[in-house]
Amino acid sequence: MLRLSCGLALGLLAAPAALATAATADEVTTFTLDNGMQAVVIEDHRAPVVTHMVWYRAGSADEKRGKSGIAHFLEHLMFKGTDAVPDGQFSQIVEAQGGYDNAFTSSDQTAYFQRLAADRLELVMRMEADRMRNLTLTEEDVATEREVILEERAQRIDSSPEALFSEQMDAAQYLNHPYGTPNIGWRAEMAALSRQDALDWYGLYYAPNNAILIVAGDVDPAEVKALAEKYYAPLAPSAGIPERARPAEPPQLAERRLSFSDPNIAQPYVTRRYLAPERDPGAQDEAAALVFLAALLGGNAQTSLLSRALTFDQKIAVATGAGYDATSLDDTTFGLYAVPAPGVSLATVEEAMDKVLADLLQTGVDAAQFARLKTQMKAELIYRRDNVGDLAEDYGSALTSGLTIADVEAWPDVLQNVTAEDVITVARKVLDRRHAVTGWAMRTGAEEKLP
C-alpha cells in the first residue's frame, strides 16, 4: 500500500521492500501495560536516533456508513492540540528538537510517528500520551480542517485520473465491504463531517487498549518500559470498543469490467484486480505464495514473466507489473497491469497478459527462475530487517491487521518455505476472472470498446 504522509493510504500495487545495508537490527522486546496497551521495542544502536510510533486499530474500513473520511479527518485534527500542547505546537516542538513527525490513515489503521534524537524519547512519549486522551477541538478548528481535507481530496484524487480510476476499481471490487470506500472519503460525506463526529470517533477508538506502541532505535527496553509506565499506563482503558467485524463481501460470481476515460490520461492501460486472501494469524502460507506469484509475474522490469513476454518478446507493451499487499485485516487484492505500446490496442495487450497467466498455470514455474527469486527474497528480508524504520512499520501494520507477534517473527521462515508447487496452487485459486475486476483507462476521445 502506498502511504501518503500526513494523510491517507491509497490501495495500489505494492512496491518492493526498500533495501539497506550493514548489520541486522532485530533485537525485539515486547510487553503489555495493565491498561491493555501493547508495546514493541526494536533495538538498533548504530545511530543515536529513535522512531516513536503509536498505531490505532481504527482505519477507514471501521467507519460507519455515511461518515466516510472521519478516520482521516480525526488524524488531521489530532494536530490541533491539547491544553498542555496548544494548536500547532506538537510538530513545532519536534522540529525544534531536530526531528520530524507525521501521521497516516489507511483502511485498517491510523498511525502517528516521530523520529528524533534518542535522548528526546521522553518528550514525544509525553506529548503523544497527552493527545491520546486530552485533545481539544473548537468548531473553528473543525471548520478550518474540513476545508483542508476537501482540498487534499481535490489535489490528490479529483485532479488525478489515475486516482479516480483506482477509486472506481475499488468500488467495483467491493460491493458491500468497506474496502470499496476511499480512505479519504467521498466528497459529499467529507463536507458534512462535524465536530461531534470527530469527538465520537476519538472517544470510541483513541484509547490505550486500542493502541500499539512501537519504539525503534538506540533505546534500552527497560527504559522504554519505564517511560511507557510513566506516561501511557495512567491512561484509563475504554469500554465498548467494537469488535472489528466488517460487513461481509458477498461471493463474486462473474467478472466485473469497467471503462474509464479522462482527457488527462496520456497513456491508456489495462489493470485487473483479483480478490485474494491476506495473512491470517497462524495461517500465512497462501499469502506467502502470493508474494512469490507477484514477484514472478511482475516484480522485475527485465526478468518477470509479463515483462519478458509483452515488453521484450512481443514488444506490445511499454510497462507491465504485478502487486500484492499481504497485510490486511480482511480479504485483499492481487493486481496486474499492462501499458500498451503505441499503436497496440488494450484488447491486444489484455489478451497477451491472459496468455502469460494461462501458460504459467499449464507449464508451472521455471525451477531456475524460482531459485533466483528465493535468493532475492531472502536478501530483501535480510536488508529489510536491517532497516529499523521498516521493522517498526512491519510490526505496526501487522498487529493492527489482526496478526500476532509470533506471526511477524515467523513470516520470514514462512516465505522461505514456499515451494513452486505452492505458487501454482494459489495461482489456480486466485487467478479466476469470475473473482476479478478488469478496467481500461483511456484518454477521452480515443476510447476503445470493451469486449
Side-chain angles (χ1 to χ4, degrees):
M1 220 178 262
L2 176 65
R3 289 199 170 102
L4 303 178
S5 296
C6 195
L8 59 152
L10 299 173
L12 304 175
L13 295 184
L19 301 186
T21 56
T24 303
D26 60 357
E27 294 296 326
V28 178
T29 304
T30 64
F31 60 87
T32 302
L33 300 176
D34 290 342
N35 59 11
M37 188 172 189
Q38 191 175 6
V40 178
V41 182
I42 305 168
E43 293 183 71
D44 182 353
H45 301 290
R46 292 170 294 173
V49 295
V50 64
T51 296
H52 172 269
M53 309 184 79
V54 170
W55 295 67
Y56 292 96
R57 296 180 182 89
S60 61
D62 298 297
E63 297 164 342
K64 292 181 180 179
R65 297 288 190 186
K67 299 294 182 181
S68 67
I70 189 61
H72 174 239
F73 189 28
L74 196 276
E75 176 219 309
H76 276 245
L77 292 170
M78 284 287 283
F79 290 87
K80 288 300 180 182
T82 67
D83 290 338
V85 184
D87 185 4
Q89 289 194 18
F90 193 112
S91 295
Q92 293 174 17
I93 292 171
V94 174
E95 185 178 356
Q97 299 297 320
Y100 69 90
D101 73 315
N102 220 316
F104 58 82
T105 302
S106 62
S107 298
D108 296 322
Q109 55 271 129
T110 307
Y112 302 82
F113 65 92
Q114 304 85 36
R115 183 171 173 82
L116 73 176
D119 61 0
R120 305 297 196 274
L121 174 60
E122 182 170 6
L123 170 67
V124 293
M125 193 177 287
R126 172 175 56 80
M127 293 196 300
E128 196 66 79
D130 175 45
R131 69 174 173 178
M132 183 183 289
R133 284 304 205 187
N134 301 317
L135 181 66
T136 57
L137 292 178
T138 66
E139 290 290 355
E140 183 180 0
D141 291 334
V142 171
T144 300
E145 210 60 36
R146 187 166 50 231
E147 292 304 313
V148 171
I149 63 169
L150 287 170
E151 179 60 24
E152 184 178 350
R153 179 177 171 97
Q155 291 183 4
R156 291 182 169 178
I157 308 296
D158 298 335
S159 62
S160 168
E162 291 80 10
L164 286 171
F165 180 44
S166 180
E167 194 173 76
Q168 293 298 306
M169 290 285 291
D170 287 339
Q173 188 95 61
Y174 295 99
L175 297 183
N176 193 49
H177 192 282
Y179 284 169
T181 301
N183 290 326
I184 198 169
W186 300 115
R187 172 169 284 276
E189 294 179 0
M190 294 166 64
L193 294 174
S194 68
R195 176 176 179 271
Q196 192 57 53
D197 291 330
L199 291 175
D200 288 346
W201 182 265
Y202 178 67
L204 184 62
Y205 290 112
Y206 280 56
N209 52 323
N210 198 47
I212 298 164
L213 170 67
I214 311 283
V215 178
D218 187 20
V219 293
D220 176 77
E223 294 177 359
V224 172
K225 185 174 183 180
L227 290 174
E229 293 281 1
K230 181 178 180 180
Y231 292 107
Y232 288 114
L235 303 178
S238 288
I241 297 174
E243 182 182 354
R244 303 182 80 185
R246 280 82 173 265
E249 183 69 12
Q252 183 177 343
L253 304 178
E255 180 186 14
R256 299 163 193 161
R257 299 186 67 92
L258 67 103
S259 172
F260 179 86
S261 61
D262 189 282
N264 295 315
I265 292 180
Q267 179 69 53
Y269 58 97
V270 58
T271 184
R272 182 181 298 147
R273 299 178 187 172
Y274 302 84
L275 283 175
E278 78 288 1
R279 293 166 63 189
D280 285 322
Q284 304 183 89
D285 295 346
E286 280 192 332
L290 284 168
V291 170
F292 277 96
L293 180 62
L296 184 71
L297 287 170
N300 185 289
Q302 282 74 45
T303 63
S304 64
L305 295 180
L306 286 171
S307 184
R308 279 163 44 193
L310 276 62
T311 304
F312 295 104
D313 295 344
Q314 302 176 48
K315 296 180 173 55
I316 60 172
V318 296
T320 61
Y324 168 69
D325 189 350
T327 306
S328 175
L329 186 63
D330 299 315
D331 279 354
T332 182
T333 58
F334 184 97
L336 309 167
Y337 74 89
V339 180
V344 178
S345 70
L346 288 169
T348 297
V349 80
E350 181 185 345
E351 183 179 1
M353 186 173 72
D354 281 328
K355 187 175 187 308
V356 171
L357 302 183
D359 288 346
L360 172 64
L361 295 180
Q362 181 176 358
T363 63
V365 178
D366 179 77
Q369 184 177 13
F370 189 69
R372 288 193 299 270
L373 275 180
K374 292 290 286 281
T375 301
Q376 292 167 6
M377 188 72 69
K378 185 174 183 179
E380 281 198 6
L381 287 168
I382 292 172
Y383 288 135
R384 188 167 182 85
R385 290 177 68 83
D386 168 70
N387 188 311
V388 69
D390 287 344
L391 269 181
E393 183 164 343
D394 288 346
Y395 275 91
S397 61
L399 295 176
T400 50
S401 299
L403 297 169
T404 67
I405 295 289
D407 294 321
V408 179
E409 293 175 343
W411 181 238
D413 289 336
V414 174
L415 284 168
Q416 283 303 300
N417 289 333
V418 171
T419 66
E421 291 74 20
D422 294 333
V423 174
I424 294 301
T425 298
V426 78
R428 293 187 187 283
K429 174 181 177 180
V430 171
L431 301 181
D432 184 339
R433 286 178 57 168
R434 294 172 299 175
H435 305 154
V437 176
T438 302
W440 287 9
M442 299 163 285
R443 186 173 68 254
T444 301
E447 292 92 347
E448 299 179 36
K449 191 173 182 180
L450 282 173

